Amino acid sequence: MSLTLTRTDLIRSANFIAGQWQPGPAGALLPVTNPATGAVITHVPDSGAAEARAALDAAHAAFPSWRQVPAKQRAAIIKRWNDLVVAHTEDLGRLISMEQGKPLAEGKGEVAYAASYIEWFGEEATRMNGEIIPAPVPGRRMFALKEPVGVVAAITPWNFPAAMIARKIAPALAAGCTVVCKPAEDTPLTSLALVLLAHEAGVPAGVLNIVTASRQKTPEVADVWLDDGRVRKITFTGSTPVGKHLAQRSAATLKKLSLELGGNAPFIVFDDADVDAAVDGFMAAKFRNGGQTCVSPNRVFVHASVYDAFATKLAARVSALKVGPASDPASQIGPMINDRAVEKIERHINDAVAKGAKVLAGGKRLTELGPNYYAPTVLAGANAEMACACEETFGPVAPLTVFNDEAEVIAAANDTPFGLAAYFYSQNVRRIWRVAGLLETGIVGINEGALAAEAAPFGGVKESGYGREGSTHGLDDYLHTKYLCQGQLD
Ligand code: SIN
């Protein structure tokens, strides 16, 4: 099956600034490749400070009028954007699969996931309600209004190139903010296509601007936005070290920040779990996008009494997964995003095996398929000394660790600086509420492996960041509260 698009003009090779498709610096081009083959799809600008500044000037100029557009009208534009995204599901799904590598069913699934955020925030635009506060003294009226924070800089990741843009940009537009965006170097094409559709939906010139850049040039773009006081908010999904840098650098102008950073999710199977349901939930949570999600279970703790049953069933399911390119409809796991990703997986597995882990499934590169394929892997006998327990593998690797009691496993699960997601399986209602309260994460899956939804607040605690995406909280992150106090009314 071919991944060609019916609407080929969705593949853009330029920045979008002030309502115009604009080239980047002369001669500075960034190749976008298909991770399944290494073939170049097209080139986009390798932008620098000048393009970042032009985008910011445009967003700043557009803010006063966009914030005044009535919420109902902003909502209508965002809903039209949603309709266009849904109408282009096939093409956008192909584009995601082409540049990111996920199987086409997942690529199209991501379009639906992205659209769900756009639709949600289109609806939320009309619900930016304020408050009337009972005054503590006579003759006064007190109000709290919600206002857009201003220009937002969105720096987005490669693992969900449509969904992560959608859940940052749709709430920003809904709130009345204008946006400058820098998509990930590996997957700029989906973002450019979404911006094209937003423009076609009626988002006015200057309201949404996007510049592409390589990993090397990204700091130059980001520094312009970080240092300029006209940017009032940074929203970022990516690594914790980069998130910390953004927080430090934006401190000089005290920007609002939403940081959705690294995870190290525990997945706990208690002795009273339904083991088959736990295996199903684990497969859904772990192997979505080949394990390249920040909420992917990274450490699997299984009670001694169900360990053998869980490990045997899981190894059988994982061995049966079909790995292959997005263009093969049978593929369930695609290539990893690039060679650095495969090298990290390999390093984690070699380290675990050297420290005593046993490979129950997978455990090798699949070079016969292409440059970036790795077999989905189950490791038995993992422990806290292994790199795979301390660092996010971001690949299809399941390291299993045996445990004996609840307090021990909670301590182990929380023994990480990260706190994005956690999962556990148990059928004991007392334990469910106890454990859910004790896990130090922003998200907990209880007898459930698929957690994300547009109506849910997504985000972490500890070094996994702060701020929430999705839900009513996801709009609030783009607003500030203005207090009005009117006197002399008696
Ligand atoms: C992420 O990996 O950053 C997001 C995953 C999700 O939306 O479930």
Side-chain angles (χ1 to χ4, degrees), residues 10 33 59 67 105 155 168 199 217 219 232 250 260 328 339 345 360 377 388 442 445:
L10 284 176
T33 57
R67 67 175 300 184
I155 303 177
K168 292 180 186 325
H199 179 60
K217 292 287 280 300
R232 294 314 314 146
S250 60
E260 206 255 87
D328 178 350
D339 53 349
I345 294 166
L360 300 185
T377 298
C388 62

Side-chain angles (χ1 to χ4, degrees), residues 113 117 157 159-160 163-164 167 237-238 260-261 288-289 292-296 392 394 420 423 443 451-453 458 469:
Y113 183 45
Y117 284 101
N159 60 343
F160 290 92
M164 298 304 105
R167 75 187 192 192
T237 297
E260 206 255 87
L261 309 177
R288 173 171 167 244
N289 200 18
Q292 302 172 112
T293 74
C294 55
V295 287
S296 182
E392 194 176 21
F394 230 65
L420 184 55
Y423 306 78
I443 305 171
L451 309 179
F458 190 103
E469 296 189 331

Side-chain angles (χ1 to χ4, degrees), residues 345-419:
I345 294 166
E346 207 160 40
R347 174 169 66 77
H348 280 191
I349 291 179
N350 290 343
D351 170 77
V353 169
K355 291 174 179 159
K358 191 166 156 240
V359 176
L360 300 185
K364 58 179 193 315
R365 279 182 189 248
L366 299 173
T367 41
E368 65 280 16
L369 292 176
N372 297 319
Y373 288 95
Y374 204 94
T377 298
V378 180
L379 297 173
N383 64 50
E385 307 310 316
M386 297 172 179
C388 62
C390 316
E391 298 170 29
E392 194 176 21
T393 304
F394 230 65
V397 182
L400 311 187
T401 301
V402 71
F403 74 91
N404 287 293
D405 80 53
E406 186 183 299
E408 167 206 342
V409 78
I410 299 293
N414 288 337
D415 185 19
T416 166
F418 302 102

Side-chain angles (χ1 to χ4, degrees), residues 43-62:
H43 290 80
V44 295
D46 194 3
S47 313
E51 292 72 29
R53 207 162 290 115
L56 174 52
D57 290 345
H60 180 67

